[in-house]
Amino acid sequence: MQTYNPNDTICAPATAPGMAAIAVLRLSGPGAFDIAAGIFIPKNKKLSLAKTPSHKVSLGQVMEGEQPVDEVLLTKFVAPNSYTGEDMVEISCHGSPYIQQKILQLMIDSGARMASPGEFTMRAFLNGRLDLSQAEAVADLIASNSEASRDLAFSQLRGHFSKRISDLRQKLLEFASLIELELDFSEEDLEFADRTQLRQLLGDIDDEIDRLRESFATGNALKQGIPVAIIGKPNVGKSTLLNALLNEERAIVSEIPGTTRDAIEDTITISGIAFRFIDTAGLRESDEPIESVGIERTYEKIRQASIILYLFDLSETGLEEIAETIRDFRDRVGEDDKRLILVANKIDLMEEIPHHFRNLVDLETVFVSAKRKENISMITDSLVQSAVTHPEERDATLVTSSRHYEALSRAAESVAAVRQGMDDGISGDLLAIDLRGALYHLGSITGEVTSDEILGEIFGRFCIGK
Amino acid sequence: MQTYNPNDTICAPATAPGMAAIAVLRLSGPGAFDIAAGIFIPKNKKLSLAKTPSHKVSLGQVMEGEQPVDEVLLTKFVAPNSYTGEDMVEISCHGSPYIQQKILQLMIDSGARMASPGEFTMRAFLNGRLDLSQAEAVADLIASNSEASRDLAFSQLRGHFSKRISDLRQKLLEFASLIELELDFSEEDLEFADRTQLRQLLGDIDDEIDRLRESFATGNALKQGIPVAIIGKPNVGKSTLLNALLNEERAIVSEIPGTTRDAIEDTITISGIAFRFIDTAGLRESDEPIESVGIERTYEKIRQASIILYLFDLSETGLEEIAETIRDFRDRVGEDDKRLILVANKIDLMEEIPHHFRNLVDLETVFVSAKRKENISMITDSLVQSAVTHPEERDATLVTSSRHYEALSRAAESVAAVRQGMDDGISGDLLAIDLRGALYHLGSITGEVTSDEILGEIFGRFCIGK
């Protein structure tokens, strides 16, 4: 990001690479209109680009000297009413990679340079169009692959999370100012900052930070997909079940052609929530028993799961044996915050389903035939229920970024130090240091405090053209 | 295409699939504005979609009921001033495949349906925005991967080719009308159509069709890339030379990041012309000698090439031997319309380059070191020269579509039949049949005459969203 210079006019393709009906090229910066005027001739000659109002689309041709290159639509955005907050032009050309490259080359020859990854959004941030957490939400929104992850990113983009953090920080800032003021008058031993109120506020901030940090597990799971493990002995039907689950969803998704090409292997979205199936020792290919070699690695994987589907072959396994296995499993893994669902498979081979089963194992149990795809929807219902155990969380502000989690943790440490310091009766200047620490870490989330390093790290992960 | 119904409102993504900064969704048809108004709320509440003028971009949110789905830019195009000639809306959303799918789903739930491949362009054709040959040029333009192929497609899109065909057809149509008129008055034995003039016109049309048909070889080569074969004995450095040629171009192309991902293997573009290196018996991997097994298959490939680079190891091969090999090669393959370039490799191992070489073989000869990348540009210069042997052709109207070539050939047959019929003095009604045939085939190129079958074949090859 060291090359960032707001006097540069930058350009890049904004749409995905590849052949398509159209592609959109972006040009932003002080020279955007001059560069565009030099390579674009509107069909309506009377409407020169200079006279074109903001947010107006013009039909015309991109020219290389006297030679027309392509027929395009050009949209003009006059600063500050653009994505970056700068003068901006978007050219919608025919979606040939060659034509895109050609037009970009013409822009570059006219004085633009290729944008770095995320540079458009970074300019939006630096021009005050977005705060840092909102800028990060743009990347999350683009990467969102489920209702839940889109919800979270969009809520963050609309500033819900930023507002929460800013409010906390604003309150803390007031106290910090008073403490700093005390330092200026330190010889007079004044206390501008009401210690009882400060203690109260620090307690509130601590609670809020704790709540936000706790929400990271849910937020991250919803963003990345909730990890699910399917386990069981060989031949109980694990691969068949996984395929049945995946096929059920693929069938729904593929109703809209042209939009499924990026489907992620082994992830399904049910009721807007993504579930990510963890590969427990080659779950899909081999039927390695969890009792055999590699058992520790398998348990390691199982521990990462939020939901475990424990699969039995009901036609082969006695109820007592199942109960025994489950007890053993619970002893070894513990359940903590996991959800364990017992899936009794191969009911197609049974004459009747044992009614007293549930009492025996005291666990949510689903009876299915993976092979005949019977009752598969009962599993998906259970998965959704497990994911929204705390339905109130879905409306709350959730932390989804590990950077934010990290900053909140650092802020919590500083707040704890302030509280400890007050208990120990340390001096105002030492208190002020820890307060500044808390302010810094909260501010780094929204970008009120920032550094080139943070910016480089955040925007370096963006795609070019955003 | 049987599902085509102009009362339907159709939707599709118009940009390439995959994650990107933005994606553009298209909505076209009589319900486009109502559907868009139902799912879009402009940020400026006063500017409802109904009041928004054509070609105006509005910032706002796509809504699913009360829930915002994404922040988007919406552009309104009022019929007939749109790509399809219908009411049209383009929504530029965040480039997440999930979000695109979600918005398309909302459009479909509101009464739109997914567009068939090429349906937007087919509507443009049916609404008279483009003729058929121009519509085909849109697909060619999107697929263009070099200056030359873009040039050809763009020229066709601008109607140069259509105009030529239409003019020919118009003249023929006048005569056909007169002949038809004669048929109405056949009892009176009138000759409205001047036979001498008709003969003259048929001759002119024949010449023009011939010229156009002949241009197909050049046009097709420029569109697809000019086929080049590199041949020679094992270890003369064929792979090294190919890599040197490819690398030279890759280095240029990769100056613009983000635009090279679709580079086609073994195709290089020099001075705007694409050269396609034919895989002569695994040219790249193995060094199978052309004298060994599979020799016939190799010669088959060589016959497809327009340019042959015959490579020798100058440090190992005597001049007499080279001359002998070349004579033998010319005898076997013939040169026809091919261009044979002799490449004397490994000059790095030579103390001096033999001066009398050219006289010996009477062939264009380039002395290079593929390994040290010396004089590689002399080969690329030769390639470009070979491609533009007939420079006047580059400005002329070239046939690039096999469908057009086919139609021209059928038209030529009909014209020949008319001329033969006139020579044989056949009756006006028989003459009229062949004239109608010629008119039909010429008209099928521009779409003045068309059928569902032709339309289905042409537009079925388009991508969705175009």
Side-chain angles (χ1 to χ4, degrees):
Chain A
M1 283 297 137
Q2 58 274 45
T3 62
Y4 175 72
N5 179 345
N7 294 322
D8 286 353
T9 298
I10 54 175
C11 63
T15 47
M19 238 189 265
I22 61 168
V24 177
L25 308 174
R26 278 183 165 167
L27 183 65
S28 180
F33 298 156
D34 283 346
I35 291 171
I39 62 170
F40 174 80
I41 293 188
K43 196 163 184 186
N44 179 351
K45 296 274 186 331
K46 277 178 263 171
L47 246 184
S48 72
L49 194 59
K51 287 189 211 151
T52 304
S54 190
H55 289 66
K56 176 82 183 169
V57 179
S58 312
L59 174 67
Q61 289 184 337
V62 168
M63 306 293 291
E64 180 181 23
E66 299 296 307
Q67 276 304 106
V69 170
D70 192 16
E71 195 164 279
V72 304
L73 291 177
L74 180 147
T75 312
K76 184 178 170 181
F77 298 93
V78 179
N81 296 314
S82 73
Y83 180 67
T84 54
E86 305 173 323
D87 282 347
M88 241 183 121
V89 161
E90 283 186 2
I91 289 182
S92 171
C93 64
H94 283 94
S96 138
Y98 172 77
I99 289 176
Q100 292 182 56
Q101 186 184 325
K102 178 99 191 169
I103 298 176
L104 286 172
Q105 190 67 63
L106 290 171
M107 291 176 178
I108 291 169
D109 291 347
S110 310
R113 68 162 167 81
M114 277 301 290
S116 309
E119 195 167 359
F120 291 95
T121 306
M122 183 162 76
R123 289 185 173 201
F125 163 66
L126 293 170
N127 291 322
R129 303 284 295 170
L130 299 168
D131 71 31
L132 203 50
S133 136
Q134 289 175 308
E136 289 173 286
V138 171
D140 286 348
L141 203 54
I142 289 169
S144 69
N145 59 4
S146 69
E147 183 72 28
S149 58
R150 189 204 53 78
D151 256 10
L152 289 170
F154 195 68
S155 159
Q156 187 172 324
L157 177 62
R158 290 204 293 167
H160 295 173
F161 179 58
S162 304
K163 175 134 190 4
R164 200 96 164 206
I165 298 294
S166 281
D167 287 352
L168 285 183
R169 190 168 181 275
Q170 194 50 45
K171 285 184 197 155
L172 200 57
L173 196 57
E174 284 161 24
F175 272 96
S177 310
L178 293 175
I179 298 269
E180 303 268 355
L181 203 60
E182 288 174 12
L183 297 182
D184 292 342
F185 294 85
S186 55
E187 284 154 31
E188 296 163 48
D189 201 19
L190 290 169
E191 272 203 7
F192 295 111
D194 181 327
R195 292 300 187 268
T196 316
Q197 276 187 30
L198 177 54
R199 238 178 246 277
Q200 177 63 39
L201 175 65
L202 289 170
D204 290 352
I205 289 179
D206 221 24
D207 290 349
E208 180 66 19
I209 290 180
D210 271 0
R211 205 200 61 68
L212 287 171
R213 286 174 65 208
E214 272 167 25
S215 79
F216 180 59
T218 311
N220 197 46
L222 287 176
K223 179 172 152 185
Q224 308 284 346
I226 293 169
V228 181
I230 303 179
I231 59 174
K233 286 191 184 172
N235 298 321
V236 292
K238 296 195 293 290
S239 337
T240 315
L241 177 65
L242 180 57
N243 285 328
L245 286 165
L246 292 174
N247 282 333
E248 186 150 300
E249 189 224 8
R250 295 278 147 83
I252 300 165
V253 169
S254 62
E255 275 173 22
I256 302 180
T259 57
T260 61
R261 274 172 268 188
D262 288 85
I264 295 153
E265 196 64 5
D266 295 356
T267 294
I268 67 172
T269 305
I270 310 163
S271 299
I273 301 163
F275 295 90
R276 187 164 44 86
F277 287 92
I278 294 175
D279 183 6
T280 48
L283 182 64
R284 242 183 144 180
E285 269 68 48
S286 85
D287 264 327
E288 187 90 334
I290 69 161
E291 287 82 359
S292 83
V293 201
I295 188 160
E296 253 323 299
R297 245 191 59 221
T298 304
Y299 274 105
E300 186 59 39
K301 294 277 190 182
I302 288 170
R303 279 184 205 106
Q304 295 170 13
S306 296
I307 302 174
I308 295 162
L309 300 179
Y310 209 126
L311 195 62
F312 290 93
D313 178 349
L314 198 57
S315 73
E316 291 272 326
T317 324
L319 300 187
E320 293 301 336
E321 193 187 334
I322 294 179
E324 176 69 31
T325 309
I326 290 291
R327 268 194 297 274
D328 185 45
F329 178 78
R330 281 174 156 171
D331 286 348
R332 275 207 268 184
V333 175
E335 274 181 83
D336 306 351
D337 45 353
K338 291 184 201 316
R339 182 86 169 227
L340 182 60
I341 300 170
L342 210 148
V343 182
N345 192 19
K346 307 201 184 175
I347 55 168
D348 50 311
L349 302 177
M350 307 288 289
E351 289 195 1
E352 57 177 340
I353 293 166
H355 287 296
H356 57 297
F357 193 83
R358 185 177 287 261
N359 301 335
L360 205 67
V361 295
D362 181 31
L363 253 189
E364 181 180 0
T365 307
V366 187
F367 296 90
V368 304
S369 166
K371 192 175 156 197
R372 296 208 185 149
K373 301 197 171 61
E374 278 172 29
N375 292 356
I376 298 299
S377 66
M378 292 177 68
I379 298 182
T380 57
D381 289 350
S382 279
L383 288 176
V384 173
Q385 266 176 23
S386 305
V388 290
T389 318
H390 310 293
E392 71 279 8
E393 277 189 353
R394 293 208 63 189
D395 294 323
T397 304
L398 300 184
V399 177
T400 61
S401 149
S402 51
R403 188 182 79 80
H404 298 168
Y405 180 78
E406 182 76 16
L408 286 168
S409 301
R410 293 292 86 73
E413 282 168 17
S414 300
V415 169
V418 176
R419 294 175 86 179
Q420 185 64 46
M422 287 176 75
D423 289 345
D424 298 348
I426 63 163
S427 64
D429 50 350
L430 291 176
L431 224 53
I433 290 174
D434 287 326
L435 271 173
R436 277 185 219 130
L439 287 169
Y440 174 85
H441 292 300
L442 290 176
S444 74
I445 293 176
T446 56
E448 287 164 285
V449 178
T450 191
S451 71
D452 283 355
E453 198 187 343
I454 293 179
L455 292 185
E457 203 184 295
I458 291 173
F459 292 103
R461 277 182 310 213
F462 274 61
C463 52
I464 284 181
K466 192 65 219 180
Chain B
M1 285 297 138
Q2 58 273 47
T3 62
Y4 175 71
N5 179 345
N7 294 322
D8 286 353
T9 299
I10 54 175
C11 65
T15 46
M19 239 189 267
I22 62 168
V24 177
L25 309 173
R26 278 182 164 168
L27 183 65
S28 181
F33 297 156
D34 282 346
I35 291 171
I39 63 170
F40 175 80
I41 294 188
K43 196 164 184 185
N44 179 351
K45 297 273 186 329
K46 277 178 264 173
L47 246 184
S48 73
L49 194 59
K51 287 187 212 151
T52 305
S54 190
H55 290 63
K56 176 81 184 170
V57 178
S58 312
L59 175 65
Q61 290 184 335
V62 169
M63 306 293 291
E64 181 181 24
E66 298 297 306
Q67 275 305 105
V69 170
D70 192 13
E71 194 163 282
V72 304
L73 291 177
L74 181 148
T75 312
K76 184 179 170 181
F77 298 94
V78 180
N81 296 314
S82 73
Y83 180 68
T84 55
E86 305 173 324
D87 282 347
M88 239 182 123
V89 161
E90 283 186 3
I91 289 182
S92 170
C93 65
H94 283 94
S96 138
Y98 172 77
I99 289 176
Q100 293 183 55
Q101 186 184 324
K102 177 98 193 171
I103 298 176
L104 287 172
Q105 190 66 62
L106 290 171
M107 291 175 177
I108 291 168
D109 292 346
S110 310
R113 69 163 167 81
M114 278 300 290
S116 308
E119 195 167 358
F120 292 94
T121 307
M122 182 161 77
R123 289 185 173 202
F125 164 65
L126 293 170
N127 291 322
R129 304 284 292 170
L130 299 168
D131 72 29
L132 204 49
S133 137
Q134 288 175 307
E136 288 173 287
V138 171
D140 287 349
L141 202 53
I142 289 171
S144 68
N145 60 2
S146 69
E147 183 73 28
S149 58
R150 189 205 55 77
D151 255 10
L152 288 170
F154 196 69
S155 158
Q156 188 172 321
L157 176 64
R158 290 204 290 167
H160 296 172
F161 180 57
S162 303
K163 177 136 190 0
R164 199 95 165 207
I165 298 295
S166 281
D167 287 352
L168 285 184
R169 191 168 179 275
Q170 193 51 44
K171 286 185 197 151
L172 199 57
L173 195 59
E174 283 161 25
F175 272 97
S177 309
L178 293 175
I179 298 269
E180 302 269 353
L181 202 60
E182 288 175 11
L183 296 182
D184 291 342
F185 294 84
S186 54
E187 284 153 31
E188 296 163 48
D189 201 21
L190 291 168
E191 271 203 7
F192 294 111
D194 181 326
R195 292 298 188 269
T196 317
Q197 276 187 30
L198 178 53
R199 238 179 247 278
Q200 177 65 39
L201 176 64
L202 288 171
D204 289 352
I205 290 179
D206 222 22
D207 290 349
E208 180 67 18
I209 289 180
D210 271 359
R211 204 201 58 71
L212 286 172
R213 285 174 65 209
E214 272 167 27
S215 79
F216 180 60
T218 312
N220 198 46
L222 287 177
K223 179 172 150 185
Q224 308 284 346
I226 293 169
V228 181
I230 303 179
I231 58 175
K233 286 192 183 173
N235 300 322
V236 292
K238 296 195 292 292
S239 337
T240 314
L241 177 65
L242 179 58
N243 285 328
L245 286 164
L246 292 174
N247 281 333
E248 185 150 300
E249 189 224 7
R250 293 281 146 82
I252 299 164
V253 170
S254 63
E255 273 172 26
I256 302 182
T259 57
T260 61
R261 276 172 267 188
D262 288 85
I264 294 153
E265 197 61 9
D266 295 356
T267 294
I268 67 172
T269 305
I270 310 162
S271 298
I273 302 164
F275 295 89
R276 189 163 41 86
F277 287 91
I278 295 176
D279 183 6
T280 47
L283 180 65
R284 235 179 152 187
E285 269 69 50
S286 85
D287 264 327
E288 187 90 333
I290 69 160
E291 287 82 358
S292 83
V293 201
I295 188 157
E296 252 325 299
R297 246 190 59 219
T298 303
Y299 274 106
E300 184 60 38
K301 294 277 189 182
I302 288 170
R303 278 183 204 109
Q304 295 169 14
S306 295
I307 301 173
I308 295 163
L309 300 180
Y310 209 126
L311 196 61
F312 289 93
D313 177 350
L314 198 58
S315 71
E316 292 271 326
T317 323
L319 299 186
E320 294 301 339
E321 192 186 334
I322 294 179
E324 176 67 31
T325 308
I326 290 291
R327 268 194 297 275
D328 184 46
F329 178 79
R330 281 175 156 170
D331 286 348
R332 276 208 267 184
V333 174
E335 273 181 85
D336 307 349
D337 44 356
K338 291 186 202 314
R339 182 86 169 229
L340 183 59
I341 300 169
L342 211 148
V343 181
N345 192 18
K346 307 201 184 177
I347 54 168
D348 48 314
L349 302 178
M350 306 287 289
E351 286 192 10
E352 58 176 341
I353 293 166
H355 287 295
H356 58 296
F357 192 84
R358 184 177 288 261
N359 301 336
L360 204 67
V361 295
D362 180 30
L363 252 189
E364 182 180 358
T365 307
V366 186
F367 297 89
V368 306
S369 164
K371 193 174 156 199
R372 297 207 185 151
K373 301 196 171 59
E374 279 172 30
N375 291 356
I376 299 300
S377 65
M378 293 177 68
I379 300 182
T380 57
D381 288 351
S382 278
L383 289 175
V384 173
Q385 265 176 25
S386 306
V388 291
T389 318
H390 309 293
E392 71 280 6
E393 277 190 356
R394 294 209 61 189
D395 293 324
T397 304
L398 300 184
V399 176
T400 61
S401 150
S402 50
R403 188 182 80 80
H404 298 170
Y405 180 78
E406 181 75 19
L408 286 167
S409 302
R410 293 292 86 74
E413 283 168 16
S414 300
V415 168
V418 176
R419 296 174 85 178
Q420 185 63 47
M422 288 177 74
D423 288 346
D424 298 349
I426 63 163
S427 63
D429 49 351
L430 289 177
L431 223 53
I433 289 173
D434 286 326
L435 271 173
R436 278 185 219 129
L439 287 168
Y440 173 85
H441 292 300
L442 290 176
S444 74
I445 292 175
T446 56
E448 287 163 285
V449 177
T450 190
S451 71
D452 283 355
E453 198 187 345
I454 293 179
L455 292 185
E457 201 184 299
I458 291 172
F459 292 103
R461 277 182 308 214
F462 273 62
C463 54
I464 283 181
K466 193 65 220 179

